[in-house]
Amino acid sequence: MSDMNVEPAKARSEEARQLASVRSRLERAIKEADERLQAYQDDIQSQKEYLWNSRDEMDHIEKIAARESIQQAVTTGEFVLSQRKRLVKLRQSPYFGRFDFRSQGSDQPMPVYIGVHHFYDEVDKDNVVYDWRAPIASLFYDYETGPAAYHAPDGQVSGTIELKRQFRIRNGQIELMIDSAVNVVDDVLQDELGRATDDGMKNIVATIQRDQNAIIRDEHAKTLIIQGVAGSGKTSIALHRIAFLLYRFKDTLSSQDILIISPNSVFADYISNVLPELGEETVNEIGMETLAKELLQDQYRFQTFFEQTAELLESNDEAMKQRLRYKASPEFLKQLGRYADEVEKQRFATEDLWIARRLLPGWLIEETFRKHRNLDTTARVNQVAKEMEQKIGIQYNYDLMPEERKALKAAIKGMVKQSTLRETYKRFFEWAGQPDMFRPARGGRLEYADVFPLIYLKMRLEGIRSPWRNVKHLLIDEMQDYTPVQYAVIARLFSCKKTILGDTWQSVNPYSASAVDDIRAAFRDATCVTLNKSYRSSYEIARFAQRISPNPDLEIIERHGDEPELLTFTSRKKEIEAIRARIDEFGESRFNTLAIICKTQKQAKRLHKSLEGSHARLQLLSEESQSFAPGVIVCTSHLAKGLEFDHVILPDVSADNFHTDMDRNMLYVGCTRAMHRLTLTASGEASRFVGR
């Protein structure tokens, strides 16, 4: 950091006094909260004792009133407790930024301090710290010193920013203070990017960039699609967007109203810190396989996406690639839609029906059946029978006897051409002239690529009542790994607002990936934004990854570090020894996370066994893994997606192991996980993807 950016001693001394004052006021507020909590606790206890002691003398209404009074005190106490937690969190680091804003017509500029949470001093009746999501806080992210404006609830407020300052405060002490007329955030960003990783994703409120801020504060987009290059912070931005929406619409949106579709449990655990850090409750999360199981009510066994990817990597089966490409095409979805229309027309063979010597015309029965296509078959038959019975009652003024009612239902049920969903789906491929495109996976299970087409057909023919009707905002990560059919299912299941994010350059399975245009086609009201700036990796690592899979739009932040190293050996044994040596170096370094990223799970398992005893915190990630922890992690590119590590080792990058397009994608994903250091090792000749 250049000395010219650091404020003189006088300004630092003033800010130290300001910090001491804020901390003193926070201590006072925490003490007041403790006193209020104790008072509520005493009140609740005395009310409970009174209710118990007077239970025989009180009538039913009095007891209800007493219980409601206790519940009200509990609710208020919980609110005060949540406020106290925020105050305690602020005590360590009350704010990270300050700007002095002179609004039009004002004589004096107003100092505005920005923190993770809002702090209003009840004693002095003063806004001491503003929440980073408050309308006025947007000035900090969107403007340098000079003319500025923000949108307040009452309309636009214009004025001038006369000072802009950034802090890093830890344990109540100012560690860093920068005063600048240029973008302050950039300087602190460089400082933060140079730090070692922790045990999960952290909030980025102190370093949000202008383009990121616009995405976070977009409250109008019905569906927001974020295409972000590796290391652009898209997942973090999406989570901060959720935090902003929870703040902005606190009266109508709660954490219970939000659902995240995440790629795996490790990733879900990795990102689970962010919302609590921002003062919000954790939101619900689900994987696509779990979603599929619930929709199919556990009636079908199927291969997982992880298993599909592993099989492709291990077998490089051309026929399987062909099947996946076909089922991931927009044309396949159109064909499936046309097929569903035909099946729907033919599956109900209607005819005139006589019940109790009264006529029900076939056209009326068919019209009623079509009307209820949103119901499953059994419910649909029951509903048609019910409406036909009502028709007889109105038309002929006749109430059906139980036996006649039973005959009516049986007759309508007999008009439905029954066929299992799997058989109907299998016949699609014959109908489409592509019988070879349907092939079960091992053990008679469905291939993963067939799961969502089957669900789509079920929705069209039988109807599915969504268990997630109450979701008000859906967040989908790793968007490139879902097909048009999956997006068609999601669009039907969730009519709510959506944030969809990913990177089309990071598909772990290029044969069943979606481009942004494919995703956009599924959501007509979509707004698309692009993030091309990469922050995660050092300049040298990002340039190396670019040689593997060039993206002309990618912009690299110039944070310099070590050049990636490519080490080749004459034997596998020497390669393992070199990896062990790097693990020893890691143990002595400032770094917290080292990932050894293999191509397949079998290779990861084998290497993990070879490295046993090399580090106290050595762990193997698998499809069943539930959590992320610092240390030495052995995993695949598939499971490493979305994560970041101080040091990454990619073993066995030999010409024999990495040679297909899918292998290239895996290499790219693996390299782009590294923040500070990247090592590649190979026994024999290195892959052409990494060769100099």
Side-chain angles (χ1 to χ4, degrees):
M1 211 70 60
S2 63
D3 289 338
M4 66 182 292
N5 279 336
V6 180
E7 274 291 295
K10 183 183 176 188
R12 195 175 181 98
S13 172
E14 287 173 357
E15 289 294 1
R17 284 197 297 275
Q18 168 69 12
L19 177 59
S21 169
V22 171
R23 279 173 57 80
S24 171
R25 293 162 88 173
L26 280 165
E27 290 290 358
R28 183 173 67 191
I30 291 168
K31 188 181 175 187
E32 283 175 5
D34 287 338
E35 290 170 357
R36 287 175 68 191
L37 284 169
Q38 187 60 53
Y40 283 123
Q41 192 176 330
D42 294 345
D43 180 40
I44 290 164
Q45 186 58 37
S46 74
Q47 285 195 67
K48 281 182 176 178
E49 287 173 6
Y50 174 75
L51 181 61
W52 176 254
N53 295 332
S54 310
R55 64 189 183 281
D56 297 330
E57 300 157 22
M58 298 170 77
D59 62 24
H60 182 61
I61 301 297
E62 285 175 316
K63 285 177 183 176
I64 290 173
R67 288 193 190 103
E68 283 179 351
S69 177
I70 291 169
Q71 186 54 51
Q72 180 63 45
V74 169
T75 303
T76 311
E78 285 172 349
F79 176 72
V80 173
L81 182 61
S82 69
Q83 279 186 320
R84 185 191 185 279
K85 284 178 183 173
R86 293 185 182 196
L87 293 170
V88 169
K89 193 171 179 66
L90 277 182
R91 181 168 57 184
Q92 301 303 313
S93 180
Y95 44 82
F96 54 80
R98 166 191 171 176
F99 60 89
D100 291 3
F101 182 65
R102 187 200 297 269
S103 57
Q104 278 183 355
S106 176
D107 295 335
Q108 292 293 323
M110 176 179 73
V112 177
Y113 285 86
I114 306 295
V116 175
H117 305 305
H118 182 247
F119 172 38
Y120 178 76
D121 189 334
E122 295 282 356
V123 176
D124 297 339
K125 306 298 179 193
D126 181 25
N127 285 306
V128 182
V129 179
Y130 286 86
D131 191 296
W132 65 278
R133 298 167 290 186
I136 196 170
S138 64
L139 293 172
F140 180 75
Y141 299 112
D142 291 341
Y143 294 96
E144 311 316 326
T145 51
Y150 70 96
H151 291 283
D154 296 333
Q156 183 163 294
V157 179
S158 300
T160 307
I161 294 176
E162 298 190 358
L163 172 77
K164 191 169 176 186
R165 186 171 283 165
Q166 183 126 16
F167 310 91
R168 186 170 69 236
I169 299 170
R170 294 186 196 277
N171 299 319
Q173 298 295 317
I174 298 175
E175 285 186 359
L176 179 73
M177 186 175 104
I178 301 170
D179 201 5
S180 177
V182 298
N183 194 345
V184 178
V185 173
D186 281 348
D187 293 330
V188 176
L189 176 65
Q190 286 282 1
D191 185 70
E192 287 296 323
L193 293 177
R195 291 175 167 270
T197 57
D198 212 327
D199 58 349
M201 187 177 282
K202 298 298 178 190
N203 79 67
I204 58 167
V205 291
T207 56
I208 292 169
Q209 304 292 284
R210 190 173 301 170
D211 55 346
Q212 297 173 336
N213 190 48
I215 295 168
I216 289 167
R217 292 175 188 266
D218 184 341
E219 59 188 70
H220 302 296
K222 171 78 173 159
T223 299
L224 185 66
I225 299 174
I226 307 169
Q227 159 59 37
V229 297
S232 58
K234 53 191 172 291
T235 303
S236 189
I237 290 162
L239 291 168
H240 283 67
R241 172 170 159 75
I242 294 299
F244 171 77
L245 294 172
L246 286 168
Y247 175 89
R248 174 70 180 81
F249 300 105
K250 56 173 75 77
D251 295 333
T252 55
L253 188 70
S254 76
S255 56
Q256 292 300 308
D257 301 324
I258 294 164
L259 181 68
I260 297 177
I261 296 179
S262 65
N264 55 62
S265 298
V266 173
F267 179 77
D269 179 63
Y270 180 71
I271 66 172
S272 63
N273 287 332
V274 178
L275 286 169
E277 270 198 5
L278 297 171
E280 301 296 347
E281 291 178 27
T282 319
V283 300
N284 294 319
E285 170 272 330
I286 195 170
M288 283 297 262
E289 281 95 349
T290 307
L291 188 138
K293 278 180 185 173
E294 291 194 21
L295 293 175
L296 293 171
Q297 298 168 312
D298 273 332
Q299 292 177 343
Y300 297 87
R301 293 182 310 116
F302 57 82
Q303 178 189 52
T304 64
F305 181 62
F306 184 89
E307 288 169 335
Q308 174 187 274
T309 304
E311 186 178 335
L312 265 176
L313 284 167
E314 287 162 16
S315 68
N316 196 28
D317 183 338
E318 286 300 328
M320 187 180 185
K321 289 181 196 174
Q322 209 176 339
R323 292 197 297 276
L324 296 188
R325 280 195 199 99
Y326 173 57
K327 292 166 192 174
S329 67
E331 184 50 42
F332 171 77
L333 175 59
K334 288 175 188 169
Q335 280 186 314
L336 198 60
R338 288 195 293 270
Y339 175 70
D341 289 338
E342 269 194 40
V343 171
E344 175 67 23
K345 284 175 191 169
Q346 294 169 8
R347 72 193 290 244
F348 193 64
T350 186
E351 56 190 35
D352 289 349
L353 188 61
W354 289 86
I355 294 290
R357 298 198 297 273
R358 278 128 179 122
L359 174 66
L360 289 169
W363 64 265
L364 178 63
I365 299 170
E366 183 173 356
E367 192 178 85
T368 310
F369 187 80
R370 301 260 175 269
K371 185 173 74 177
H372 296 294
R373 63 192 304 166
N374 63 314
L375 301 175
D376 64 48
T377 305
T378 304
R380 205 170 176 184
V381 166
N382 291 341
Q383 185 61 31
V384 173
K386 183 181 174 185
E387 289 188 27
M388 291 304 100
E389 183 182 349
Q390 289 170 347
K391 191 74 180 170
I392 288 171
I394 294 165
Q395 186 85 20
Y396 299 105
N397 196 26
Y398 178 77
D399 292 333
L400 293 181
M401 303 296 289
E403 298 80 17
E404 293 165 338
R405 200 176 294 129
K406 198 173 176 182
L408 170 63
K409 193 178 286 186
I412 292 169
K413 189 177 179 182
M415 294 177 188
V416 180
K417 289 185 181 177
Q418 287 288 10
S419 180
T420 68
L421 185 62
R422 185 171 176 141
E423 284 168 3
T424 306
Y425 176 60
K426 190 177 176 183
R427 279 202 298 269
F428 160 75
F429 295 95
E430 292 159 18
W431 173 88
Q434 301 272 12
D436 294 340
M437 290 292 117
F438 181 80
R439 186 173 297 179
R442 287 193 192 100
R445 296 178 303 164
L446 285 168
E447 275 193 329
Y448 183 71
D450 289 313
V451 175
F452 281 87
L454 186 82
I455 291 170
Y456 177 79
L457 214 54
K458 182 179 173 72
M459 284 178 147
R460 291 289 305 272
L461 300 177
E462 298 178 5
I464 287 179
R465 191 166 169 78
S466 171
W468 305 283
R469 292 181 303 280
N470 297 328
V471 172
K472 293 181 181 176
H473 199 104
L474 180 71
L475 192 154
I476 304 171
D477 208 342
E478 303 298 348
M479 67 182 185
Q480 70 280 357
D481 289 333
Y482 305 126
T483 63
V485 173
Q486 287 176 299
Y487 281 113
V489 168
I490 287 167
R492 283 171 171 263
L493 279 178
F494 300 97
S495 58
C496 59
K497 289 190 170 185
K498 301 171 187 71
T499 301
I500 303 173
L501 58 138
D503 179 15
T504 53
W505 296 82
Q506 290 187 72
S507 172
V508 291
N509 184 347
Y511 313 110
S512 64
S514 283
V516 174
D517 288 344
D518 297 334
I519 301 165
R520 198 173 194 165
F523 306 100
R524 291 176 193 165
D525 50 8
T527 302
C528 292
V529 293
T530 306
L531 295 169
N532 288 328
K533 205 173 280 186
S534 179
Y535 300 95
R536 177 187 298 130
S537 303
S538 68
Y539 184 82
E540 289 73 17
I541 292 170
R543 292 298 302 163
F544 184 87
Q546 277 287 77
R547 290 200 292 273
I548 295 170
S549 186
N551 178 352
D553 297 324
L554 185 137
E555 302 169 35
I556 306 166
I557 287 284
E558 285 213 35
R559 176 179 62 82
H560 290 282
D562 297 334
E563 282 286 349
E565 49 182 359
L566 173 60
L567 309 174
T568 55
F569 304 91
T570 53
S571 69
R572 178 70 174 157
K573 186 181 177 185
K574 287 182 179 176
E575 185 182 357
I576 299 288
E577 285 171 3
I579 292 171
R580 278 182 168 271
R582 291 299 181 281
I583 293 173
D584 290 341
E585 284 178 31
F586 164 75
E588 299 298 318
S589 73
R590 67 186 178 90
F591 297 142
N592 297 317
T593 53
L594 166 63
I596 304 171
I597 303 177
C598 302
K599 174 179 155 180
T600 69
Q601 192 63 30
K602 283 182 181 175
Q603 291 172 7
K605 201 172 179 181
R606 202 160 51 235
L607 182 60
H608 179 260
K609 192 169 180 61
S610 302
L611 296 173
E612 278 179 350
S614 61
H615 194 274
R617 291 184 296 169
L618 175 73
Q619 60 172 318
L620 173 70
L621 292 188
S622 70
E623 192 181 10
E624 288 76 41
S625 297
Q626 297 291 315
S627 61
F628 176 90
V632 180
I633 294 161
V634 183
C635 62
T636 63
S637 292
H638 184 178
L639 285 175
K641 268 183 32 165
L643 311 180
E644 61 186 23
F645 307 91
D646 294 316
H647 185 182
V648 166
I649 297 174
L650 290 168
D652 196 13
V653 293
S654 62
D656 291 339
N657 197 30
F658 285 91
H659 53 89
T660 69
D661 285 343
M662 191 170 181
D663 296 341
R664 182 201 292 267
N665 279 29
M666 290 294 187
L667 262 182
Y668 179 76
V669 169
C671 289
T672 55
R673 302 306 94 204
M675 294 177 67
H676 308 297
R677 196 170 175 196
L678 175 63
T679 305
L680 299 93
T681 66
S683 303
E685 185 189 350
S687 165
R688 61 190 169 89
F689 300 137
V690 298
R692 302 292 181 189

